[in-house]
Amino acid sequence: MKTTIHYVKKFIKALLLFVFLFSFKMNAQDDENKGISVYQYRQVQQDQMEEFIARETKYWSKVAESAIAKGNLTFWGLFEKVGGFDMPNSPNILFINTYKDIDNANMGEIWNPSAVWPNVPMDQMETSSMSKVNHMLFVKPEGWVKASNAEPENDYKFIKMIYHNASNPGNLVALEDKHWGPFIQSAMDSGKNKQKAWGNSRILSPSGPEMKANTISVDIYSTLKETLDPTWDENTVFPTEGLTEIMALETDQRISFVYRIVKVVTAPQQ
């Protein structure tokens, strides 16, 4: 009997270890599959904005589309800031590029337009001379939920980027995924607000005292009015406990900016 119990205990321990390692491996694979995003903030003069956007949407979105088809990118997005402060000196364009494997991403190949546009001279496509890069962040996508009836092509028009500075960014993201993600999913699906999607991410670099944020959350809407002044059903019950924990981790006031979603290219959903 003792021998049997001994082997049962060993089997249970081995089983638990297998479950743990399998779960860890799957979580690591999920984390890896999210890739790393590069947030590039640019400033474009207003008298050149129309041409800048025309070139990016006509030419470079197709280059990004080709890179996505080859498995080098999973996301390309162009966003134009709505409003702002110190506007002559501030970025007004945001690019988000998510690389499947940033270490093996051949930037020269990915962003070489010759394969896609072999007969178009570079001076007709380039946008670098129309803009300057103000900031660049490396960001890890984390949680994401969307309204069950949302149609991205028709419903994703504006995005509010909310920057958080937390004493423990990993815990903040985990709490948001645990409490806010399911709540906002339910609220969107039941019509308690008009938000269409929500997501969060961690800022990997840069970091330090000059950086006033280490995580980013996004709220997506169909109209500018709802983005600026969201409305909620009066009977909405917010997850007080979760929000209290989240707020306790935030060390500074949140900073937010509103962007118009100009164009997005993504990998097909699996």
Side-chain angles (χ1 to χ4, degrees):
M1 178 63 73
K2 288 184 179 180
T3 303
T4 302
I5 294 174
H6 173 71
Y7 281 112
V8 168
K9 287 182 177 179
K10 287 186 67 175
F11 173 76
I12 292 173
K13 286 182 179 180
L15 181 61
L16 290 174
L17 179 61
F18 170 78
V19 170
F20 170 77
L21 290 175
F22 180 78
S23 176
F24 179 82
K25 182 178 179 182
M26 292 303 293
N27 288 336
Q29 288 176 339
D30 290 343
D31 197 51
E32 181 181 343
N33 289 338
K34 292 176 181 176
I36 290 178
S37 298
V38 177
Y39 283 43
Q40 188 184 88
Y41 299 79
R42 292 200 208 178
Q43 184 189 52
V44 180
Q45 297 302 315
Q46 285 302 320
D47 61 353
Q48 295 183 303
M49 183 65 78
E50 184 176 352
E51 179 65 17
F52 178 90
I53 289 175
R55 292 187 181 192
E56 288 289 343
T57 53
K58 180 177 181 178
Y59 298 114
W60 294 100
S61 70
K62 295 299 182 183
V63 175
E65 197 173 285
S66 174
I68 287 172
K70 294 175 181 176
N72 296 317
L73 282 180
T74 60
F75 183 93
W76 177 92
L78 170 60
F79 308 87
E80 181 184 11
K81 187 190 287 183
V82 178
F85 52 85
D86 192 22
M87 293 174 67
N89 303 304
S90 301
N92 49 16
I93 286 288
L94 168 62
F95 284 101
I96 300 178
N97 297 307
T98 303
Y99 295 89
K100 189 173 183 180
D101 182 353
I102 200 165
D103 282 312
N104 293 317
N106 186 331
M107 300 300 178
E109 179 184 341
I110 289 174
W111 299 114
N112 182 355
S114 59
V116 182
W117 302 102
N119 301 316
V120 181
M122 179 60 79
D123 62 2
Q124 291 184 23
M125 293 186 287
E126 67 86 23
T127 58
S128 296
S129 65
M130 303 177 184
S131 61
K132 69 175 183 179
V133 177
N134 298 82
H135 316 293
M136 190 162 69
L137 308 180
F138 294 92
V139 175
K140 184 69 174 177
E142 299 285 358
W144 173 260
V145 295
K146 73 179 189 71
S148 58
N149 63 348
E151 299 177 357
E153 286 287 335
N154 300 318
D155 294 330
Y156 294 1
K157 300 298 183 184
F158 293 91
I159 183 169
K160 180 181 286 185
M161 310 281 296
I162 306 169
Y163 298 82
H164 311 252
N165 203 16
S167 57
N168 189 321
N171 282 355
L172 178 66
V173 167
L175 284 169
E176 285 189 319
D177 287 345
K178 178 181 178 180
H179 297 285
W180 189 255
F183 165 75
I184 196 65
Q185 173 83 75
S186 175
M188 291 187 295
D189 289 347
S190 61
K192 286 187 168 60
N193 73 356
K194 295 184 179 180
Q195 190 169 330
K196 298 301 181 181
W198 169 87
N200 65 10
S201 55
R202 287 183 293 122
I203 299 175
L204 303 177
S205 179
S207 61
E210 297 303 315
M211 276 293 293
K212 302 303 181 184
N214 46 30
T215 78
I216 302 172
S217 61
V218 297
D219 299 337
I220 298 178
Y221 294 89
S222 296
T223 69
L224 180 58
K225 181 181 181 300
E226 282 293 333
T227 312
L228 296 171
D229 188 20
T231 55
W232 288 83
D233 184 280
E234 62 181 10
N235 296 318
T236 302
V237 178
F238 291 89
T240 307
E241 180 183 353
L243 291 180
T244 301
E245 293 178 79
I246 289 169
M247 296 300 291
L249 286 173
E250 297 193 58
T251 58
D252 293 311
Q253 183 177 354
R254 297 176 179 182
I255 302 169
S256 67
F257 295 96
V258 172
Y259 289 86
R260 177 176 73 90
I261 301 175
V262 179
K263 190 172 182 64
V264 164
V265 182
T266 64
Q269 296 297 312
Q270 300 298 321

